[in-house]
Structure formats: C-alpha cells, structure tokens
Amino acid sequence: MIDRERRNQLAALIRRYLDGKATAADFEKCQLENYISADQAVSHVSLEIGFYSENAASTLSKEDWDYIQRLLLLLDSNSTVSWKTAPYRLWTQPVAEALLFTCLVIALTTGFTLNLFLYFIPIGLISLLLLYFQSPRSKVRPFEEVVTPFQSIADLGIAYDSANFVKQRYCFSQSHSSKESSIEVYMMLIEGYMMLFFFFLLCICVPPILLYYLCCLGPDYEVQVQTA
C-alpha cells in the first residue's frame, strides 16, 4: 500500500531539514504516526531519518547526504518496502540454553562467591562466540554502499524513472583539520573502546546476562525494496 499523502509530507519535512529549516522537534511530532503507517516505506524512512535529525544537516557527511537522497527517492517513487528474515543459525539458541543451565548448576554447587566469576570465564568466552555466530552477515551486494536501500543499480534506475526526482547536491565543506574536531574524534574513539571493554568484561565475568539475551533473541529482519 502506498500512502502518497504521507509520503509527500515526510519528504517535504526531510527537504526542509536538509535546507536547515527543520529541527529534531519537527520530526518528533510526526514520527509516532509514521512508525505505525500502513505504508512500510514511510515507517522505514521515518526510522532511518531519526538517526540524523538530531544533528544539523550541515554536519552530514557526503555519504550520509547521498543515503538520505535515496530515501527521498524511495518516498517519491512507487517503490514499496517489506522485511524478510535474515540468516539465522538455530543451533545457537539451544547451546545458549545449555550454557545458561550450566551456569546455574555451577552457582548452586560452588555458592555465590568471588570464585564463581573464575568458573564463569570459559563460559563467557563461549558466549561471545555464540553472539558472533548468532546472525551471520548476509552476502554483500555489488555497489551496496551506493544503492542502499535499493537492491541494485537496476532497481535504482527503475525508481528514478518512476519518479519526478531531482537529487539535491551536497553543498557543505567538511573540515576535520581543526584541533577541536580532532579532539572530539579522539574522545569519541576512547569512549567507544571503553564501552566495548566493559561490555566484554561483563560478558566474560557474568555470562548469564548474555546467555539469557541469546535465549530470547529471535531472527533479525532485512529491508527489501520492491521497485514498481
């Protein structure tokens, strides 16, 4: 189902954002109704644009700008969106359940002492491997970085042919040579590495948390765009 009115409203809002005339508050007003729209393209684009709208359009990289242009093309065209189940290895869930039961047995046998964390370390390492194998990555499609969310160059061309679409040129000069920008990048990297370190430490020393998550985790879904 194509909700042309809502698509046009969302596309107009995104273009206002790219022109510097719309803020995150403007997106928040319409996001809820867009998320539950019967037109899945509207729901998908609303979710994707939410990652960018918190910052000014002038902070977008060239790659982000081009991706948003393709989202606008999706809205302007007659393309539709659906979701399919991503590759999923069913054997990881029973293994996670068995390891979770093993953790319970160890805890009841040894008691809740500091030594318990030492017994948990091998199970924690196996848990991280399970997390890695849980959802294997899909095969990378040719030109994926320049056609996403479309499936191919051909689909992108069909969408262009079905819409009266004009791509907006990227007009911001990104300069990362300043001292302030460098410090911000380094601080973000340090913060990211610290969060990753604490995540691994938590998973290794307290594996039941990750194992319970793996037991409850279902398959992921991939977005598919059908051109018309």
Side-chain angles (χ1 to χ4, degrees):
M1 174 184 176
I2 297 178
D3 187 343
R4 178 53 57 192
E5 180 180 359
R6 189 164 291 182
R7 284 194 183 199
N8 291 342
Q9 290 174 354
L10 180 57
L13 178 59
I14 294 174
R15 289 188 170 96
R16 285 177 52 211
Y17 162 70
L18 295 178
D19 291 337
K21 299 177 182 178
T23 63
D26 296 316
F27 283 94
E28 290 174 359
K29 295 177 182 177
C30 67
Q31 277 182 338
L32 181 59
E33 62 180 15
N34 287 340
Y35 288 159
I36 59 177
S37 172
D39 188 341
Q40 302 297 343
V42 174
S43 304
H44 174 64
V45 174
S46 294
L47 183 63
E48 291 295 294
I49 200 66
F51 293 108
Y52 302 101
S53 60
E54 294 182 358
N55 299 316
S58 59
T59 64
L60 293 172
S61 65
K62 178 65 165 55
E63 292 75 15
D64 291 338
W65 179 275
D66 289 342
Y67 177 59
I68 292 177
Q69 293 299 309
R70 294 193 295 273
L71 292 179
L72 284 170
L73 173 60
L74 172 59
L75 293 175
D76 287 354
S77 69
N78 293 323
S79 303
T80 57
V81 169
S82 63
W83 279 267
K84 73 169 186 176
T85 304
Y88 180 60
R89 293 180 175 171
L90 297 177
W91 61 267
T92 58
Q93 192 165 17
V95 173
E97 293 171 353
L99 289 176
L100 186 60
F101 179 76
T102 302
C103 289
L104 178 62
V105 172
I106 293 175
L108 293 175
T109 303
T110 63
F112 293 91
T113 63
L114 291 177
N115 292 331
L116 181 63
F117 297 105
L118 297 177
Y119 295 123
F120 276 175
I121 289 177
I123 299 177
L125 294 173
I126 299 174
S127 302
L128 290 173
L129 288 176
L130 283 179
L131 181 64
Y132 176 79
F133 287 113
Q134 176 77 13
S135 299
R137 293 184 178 181
S138 302
K139 185 178 179 180
V140 177
R141 293 176 282 109
F143 308 108
E144 182 170 7
E145 292 184 356
V146 296
V147 300
T148 303
F150 297 92
Q151 306 301 310
S152 65
I153 293 289
D155 287 350
L156 192 62
I158 294 172
Y160 268 109
D161 293 338
S162 69
N164 184 20
F165 181 79
V166 178
K167 181 179 178 181
Q168 293 174 262
R169 294 184 60 183
Y170 182 74
C171 56
F172 302 108
S173 58
Q174 298 293 322
S175 175
H176 301 286
S177 59
S178 66
K179 183 177 180 180
E180 293 79 6
S181 298
S182 300
I183 292 175
E184 289 179 0
V185 171
Y186 287 131
M187 291 300 294
M188 289 177 62
L189 286 174
I190 293 173
E191 183 180 354
Y193 283 126
M194 288 182 62
M195 291 179 62
L196 188 62
F197 171 75
F198 285 117
F199 171 76
F200 280 108
L201 189 63
L202 182 65
C203 291
I204 291 174
C205 296
V206 195
I209 297 176
L210 178 58
L211 290 172
Y212 180 77
Y213 168 76
L214 291 173
C215 290
C216 300
L217 188 65
D220 293 330
Y221 292 90
E222 295 179 346
V223 174
Q224 279 199 321
V225 175
Q226 291 84 30
T227 54

